[in-house]
Amino acid sequence: MKFKGVDFYNIDSLLTDEEKLTRDTVREFVETRIVPIIEDCYEKCRFPIELVKEMGELGLLGPTLPAEYGCAGLGQVAYGLVSQELERGDSGIRSFASVQGSLVMYPIYTFGSEEQRRKWLPQLAKGEKIGCFGLTEPDFGSNPAGMLTRAKRTRNGWLLNGSKAWITNGTIADVAVVWAKCEDEGNQIRGFLVEKGTKGFSAPEIHRKHSLRASVTSELIFEDCEIPEENILPGSGGLKSPLMCLSQARYGIAWGAIGAAMACYTTALEYALGRIQFDRPIASFQLQQAKFADMITEITKAQLLALQLGRLKEQGKATPAQISMAKRNNVAMALEVARTSRTILGGNGITADYPIMRHMNNLESVYTYEGTHDIHTLIIGAEVTGIQAFR
Ligand code: TGC
Ligand code: FAD
């Protein structure tokens, strides 16, 4: 059955024709290329790397960056709809695209030299090269300001020492955007491009995950890793630089989570209409209808939040706290919808015959990465009260 979307409030009427076309194109890609293989990938812990170039051809990698670097130059709402559709397929596929676009191409575009832009952006946009983003460390997750990774000046560049943890795409990446403190610059945080094969750099994969199994997650290890001078991101400086990247990715996640929720909700609805107990479809019982009423209401609220955030972002007016609100609300909403949908499928809900449990397990990671739910609570709290409660 072709997916028709979830649109209780005629939100389509608030989208431009170009935005709808973008969404429908990605929807078709997800239906034909991702849905048929994703349960198998998830079970086998395999990222479908063969789809990367196809995503590049469709303009899904770094989609808001300008055409002169081979990117699609889409607006923010169109980018949000891309994330929504990809995550309806699987959070791991959206993760891949988020990292490549918001956490690798965005910093190269924003903080990179013209040479770095010309060297990397067109290849990353086509999916010919893959990138990853190394901020989190084993002992510094929510508090990246404490990072231990150090860069020390040498005659020809920099010597990098330290490690990063939980890095999406790490093992398969051709280039890692790595954040480190520069000892000779008062421990200022700067970004470095670490290329695959650089001596002293390794990226072992993290195994035994119960979540995001169709996505590669890795450690990054730097042991006297020599980085040439031309690989520092010259415009980067301070924790603000990586946090600016997170704002881009968190925005995409706010939309992506809606896609995962839509997948669970529509699966549960179709099931409830067909499943007979006590001689009636379970959809006819008031207790089940209450679940659908709650779910469609929460999905609709999340859609409106994401759309208005996108319009603010297009005007350059979206604040980090507004982005936190949408990431926090929409991911928690999706997780709740996944759990409720699972109950509607009864025992069948725990199997790989339906996508719900996969989405639910994936969303546990999404709830934690890009700032945990708690951290976003504190960001909103600080904005409202003017008092930081992190430390
Ligand atoms: P703080 O003093 O608040 O901020 C330092 C400077 O940065 C500015 N800033 C931001 N700028 C842009 N966007 C944001 N979201 C920003 N947040 C803060 C801030 O104004 C300040 O600027 P300036 O000019 O005064 O220097 O820094 P803090 O050390 O107190 O930290 C605050 C806190 C806790 C909110 C921050 O550290 C944080 O967000 N922690 C969470 C860490 C996190 O989200 N990690 C994500 C790692 S990447 C990832 O998970 C990828 S998953 C990929 C996938 O598969 O999709
Ligand atoms: P911690 O920071 O140790 O937090 C543990 C608990 O303590 C959480 O509940 C948290 O909310 C709470 N807590 C922490 N501080 C406070 C506080 N001040 N007040 C109240 N509660 C607090 N990182 C990258 O850099 N790049 C990536 O590509 C990337 N991909 C990821 C992929 C996956 C699958 C996962 C799981 C993580 C990924 N991450 C990545 C890391 C992710 O961003 C971190 O896991 C996240 O920021 C939380 O850090 P932590 O796991 O160290 O938890």
Side-chain angles (χ1 to χ4, degrees):
M1 191 182 73
K2 200 164 170 352
F3 183 71
K4 295 197 183 69
V6 177
D7 190 5
F8 199 74
Y9 255 43
N10 194 14
I11 289 167
D12 256 27
S13 66
L14 302 174
L15 303 177
T16 65
D17 288 345
E18 192 197 12
E19 287 162 351
K20 283 185 274 194
L21 181 65
T22 302
R23 189 223 20 227
D24 293 345
T25 305
V26 186
R27 187 167 283 176
E28 180 71 20
F29 170 72
V30 169
E31 283 298 298
T32 55
R33 306 292 291 138
I34 295 178
V35 170
I37 63 165
I38 196 64
E39 290 298 343
D40 189 55
C41 289
Y42 193 86
E43 220 169 311
K44 296 190 172 129
C45 249
R46 184 179 84 80
F47 170 66
I49 200 163
E50 67 276 12
L51 298 183
V52 168
K53 286 195 179 141
E54 289 181 46
M55 285 195 253
E57 278 161 26
L58 286 172
L60 309 187
L61 305 177
T64 58
L65 297 179
E68 65 173 304
Y69 299 107
C71 304
L74 294 181
Q76 293 293 333
V77 170
Y79 163 51
L81 290 162
V82 168
S83 296
Q84 173 190 290
E85 292 306 313
L86 288 179
E87 194 146 358
R88 193 173 63 77
D90 189 82
S91 302
I93 308 295
R94 197 270 308 135
S95 268
F96 169 82
S98 289
V99 169
Q100 181 94 344
S102 296
L103 298 181
V104 176
M105 296 171 70
Y106 171 84
I108 293 175
Y109 176 72
T110 307
F111 309 119
S113 65
E114 196 50 35
E115 291 73 31
Q116 289 168 342
R117 290 173 169 192
R118 300 242 167 250
K119 174 174 175 184
W120 290 107
L121 293 180
Q123 297 189 84
L124 288 161
K126 285 198 196 95
E128 289 168 0
K129 298 279 184 200
I130 291 174
C132 70
F133 176 90
L135 179 65
T136 305
E137 298 188 355
D139 294 327
F140 294 93
S142 297
N143 179 24
M147 71 173 67
L148 298 177
T149 301
R150 292 288 188 276
K152 196 174 170 47
R153 260 201 183 285
T154 62
R155 261 186 341 145
N156 305 318
W158 300 84
L159 205 61
L160 206 57
N161 275 292
S163 66
K164 299 288 174 182
W166 300 111
I167 307 305
T168 301
N169 297 349
T171 311
I172 56 171
D174 300 288
V175 61
V177 172
V178 177
W179 301 94
K181 284 184 176 164
C182 294
E183 292 185 343
D184 316 283
E185 296 182 1
N187 278 338
Q188 182 180 211
I189 293 171
R190 313 256 338 241
F192 295 86
L193 299 176
V194 181
E195 298 183 37
K196 192 178 197 132
T198 303
K199 196 161 155 277
F201 172 43
S202 57
E205 186 166 355
I206 297 172
H207 294 290
R208 308 189 73 202
K209 292 182 298 177
H210 285 300
S211 173
L212 285 184
R213 288 169 62 86
S215 164
V216 174
T217 316
S218 316
E219 291 174 71
L220 305 182
I221 299 166
F222 313 99
E223 293 168 315
D224 284 340
C225 182
E226 288 176 33
I227 311 294
E229 184 59 38
E230 66 264 25
N231 278 19
I232 190 167
L233 291 173
S236 65
L239 184 62
K240 191 180 175 105
S241 300
L243 293 182
M244 282 169 67
C245 306
L246 297 187
S247 278
Q248 311 310 312
R250 290 167 177 174
Y251 167 73
I253 290 171
W255 281 90
I258 298 170
M262 282 177 173
C264 296
Y265 168 85
T266 52
T267 302
L269 184 56
E270 194 187 341
Y271 186 89
L273 289 166
R275 173 75 176 172
I276 307 294
Q277 288 296 291
F278 301 95
D279 305 321
R280 287 161 57 184
I282 58 171
S284 69
F285 297 121
Q286 289 183 4
L287 277 177
Q288 303 312 317
Q289 290 195 3
K291 293 178 189 175
F292 287 112
D294 285 342
M295 287 196 287
I296 190 68
T297 305
E298 291 308 316
I299 290 173
T300 304
K301 283 153 67 179
Q303 286 173 311
L304 292 169
L305 206 57
L307 181 60
Q308 171 63 359
L309 182 66
R311 294 295 178 224
L312 286 172
K313 209 161 181 301
E314 281 168 350
Q315 297 159 22
K317 289 183 185 161
T319 66
Q322 287 170 337
I323 293 171
S324 285
M325 181 183 281
K327 192 273 182 185
R328 175 178 182 271
N329 180 78
N330 291 9
V331 175
M333 175 283 295
L335 197 47
E336 200 50 45
V337 166
R339 288 172 179 157
T340 304
S341 298
R342 213 286 308 151
T343 69
I344 292 170
L345 268 73
N348 282 325
I350 72 157
T351 70
D353 294 340
Y354 298 90
I356 295 175
M357 196 89 179
R358 174 171 53 79
H359 280 296
M360 192 164 113
N361 284 354
N362 282 339
L363 287 163
E364 290 291 347
S365 286
V366 183
Y367 192 82
T368 286
Y369 70 33
E370 290 284 0
T372 66
H373 187 81
D374 299 331
I375 289 296
H376 291 296
T377 307
L378 297 178
I379 293 173
I380 299 165
E383 178 84 358
V384 171
T385 63
I387 306 167
Q388 275 224 353
F390 302 109
R391 303 187 155 82

